[in-house]
Amino acid sequence: MIQRALATTGLILAALWCSVPPHAQPATGDQRAAALARLVAAYPEHLARIEGDMLVWKDGTRMPIDDGRGGKDHETRLATADIEDMLTQPYSAGKPAAPPTLNEDPGRARNTAFFDKIYGDCMKGEVSRHLVEVPWLAKKGGKPLKVTRINGVAEVLKAVSAELDALPARFDAYLLPAAGTYNCRPIAGTKRVSGHGYGIAVDIATRHAHYWRWSGGKAGKAFAYKNAIPFEIVEIFERHGFIWGGKWYHYDTMHFEYRPELLDKLPAAR
Ligand SMILES: [Zn+2]
């Protein structure tokens, strides 16, 4: 009995160990400080500074960077992300050399209190009042999209759209019609609101999109990586502060989300 219990404990520990993504290794003090400095710089209208273990907002609010719960497995980190958890997995801009590794999901962890405070809580109707229409590939015949104007998101999406609109016609099928922006709904299979609930995410066309759940993926079960989105499109979004769901192990290749804190260079259009 004891042996069986020990064996079971071993299996559970092995499963927990395997579910810790490679990029979740403790960052050095310098890496942590640099990631936090990027966070403050990425939300200049809202954030003032880092003070010890606190994120200090311009309105005087202080948020703990670390909730002290430590050692979270991947699903727990996504479900209960603190400020630090949002930044633990670095996002690599540029052409990917290989598919994402197990549970490499940079940007999927969002601290709800942080995003609610910046963009509002969509469940309380606080996001929709800040949505504005942005032209989407108007020269190619696209219809306007609604995103938040907070933190300059509408302005940067306008710049993204202008560059995508200048791409050759062979890219049109990936971009038009866009599959959606604002949507106050939890992520499938979770209670968490996605970037769409804050008006900071864009889904390009579904025609060539791949999504891990459409490939039969379930939490804890392996599935194959698939992507058909040309990197030329990704590069334009990244340069303007958007991350791409095609760089997630739990991939969502039509999904782009404004997360400048995860990119090295802040967008020029702001
Ligand atoms: Zn999406």
Side-chain angles (χ1 to χ4, degrees):
M1 195 64 195
I2 289 173
Q3 262 180 341
R4 190 190 286 175
L6 282 175
T8 309
T9 310
L11 279 176
I12 290 168
L13 285 174
L16 281 174
W17 178 256
C18 290
S19 71
V20 175
H23 292 276
Q25 303 306 327
T28 64
D30 285 353
Q31 284 167 338
R32 185 178 185 271
L36 288 168
R38 270 205 306 274
L39 179 71
V40 172
Y43 298 91
E45 293 144 36
H46 299 84
L47 304 180
R49 63 190 177 277
I50 302 296
E51 216 175 272
D53 290 329
M54 289 287 174
L55 173 62
V56 184
W57 294 63
K58 288 208 161 153
D59 67 2
T61 302
R62 298 165 75 84
M63 278 185 182
I65 292 163
D66 181 1
D67 62 14
R69 292 177 60 183
K72 296 176 186 174
D73 64 41
H74 189 60
E75 287 306 315
T76 309
R77 185 181 305 110
L78 293 180
T80 67
D82 60 23
I83 302 288
E84 191 164 26
D85 292 330
M86 298 202 296
L87 309 170
T88 308
Q89 292 189 310
Y91 181 92
S92 297
K95 199 161 190 171
T101 55
L102 177 66
N103 290 339
E104 182 181 355
D105 285 334
R108 269 184 93 218
R110 304 173 191 86
N111 176 256
T112 305
F114 178 88
F115 282 99
D116 282 0
K117 188 162 168 57
I118 291 196
Y119 297 111
D121 178 350
C122 73
M123 303 288 185
K124 295 181 185 162
E126 294 168 352
V127 176
S128 51
R129 72 178 80 127
H130 299 291
L131 297 178
V132 291
E133 278 197 345
V134 173
W136 178 247
L137 283 69
K139 284 188 213 153
K140 292 180 184 286
K143 298 207 172 90
L145 299 177
K146 277 190 173 179
V147 290
T148 185
R149 61 183 153 77
I150 294 174
N151 208 29
V153 177
E155 286 307 305
V156 283
L157 187 64
K158 210 192 270 183
V160 168
S161 170
E163 288 197 37
L164 294 174
D165 219 355
L167 288 176
R170 67 174 186 275
F171 293 98
D172 294 3
Y174 301 97
L175 300 164
L176 295 167
T181 51
Y182 175 68
N183 191 347
C184 185
R185 218 172 44 188
I187 303 167
T190 78
K191 289 179 183 151
R192 304 190 304 278
V193 169
S194 82
H196 292 285
Y198 295 108
I200 60 171
V202 180
D203 287 338
I204 57 174
T206 50
R207 208 172 304 143
H208 297 289
H210 291 98
Y211 179 48
W212 68 283
R213 283 187 188 274
W214 296 344
S215 302
K218 285 183 186 154
K221 182 172 167 266
F223 45 86
Y225 179 78
K226 290 179 191 165
N227 170 53
I229 305 298
F231 184 71
E232 287 90 334
I233 291 173
V234 178
E235 189 274 331
I236 290 172
F237 273 102
E238 284 184 346
R239 196 154 27 76
H240 290 283
F242 286 78
I243 61 168
W244 175 44
K247 289 191 175 172
W248 295 340
Y249 177 74
H250 296 90
Y251 55 89
D252 182 357
T253 70
M254 67 178 162
H255 181 91
F256 291 90
E257 178 171 332
Y258 187 65
R259 299 290 296 281
E261 72 274 23
L262 293 170
L263 292 154
D264 285 340
K265 279 190 202 153
L266 293 178
R270 304 201 39 217

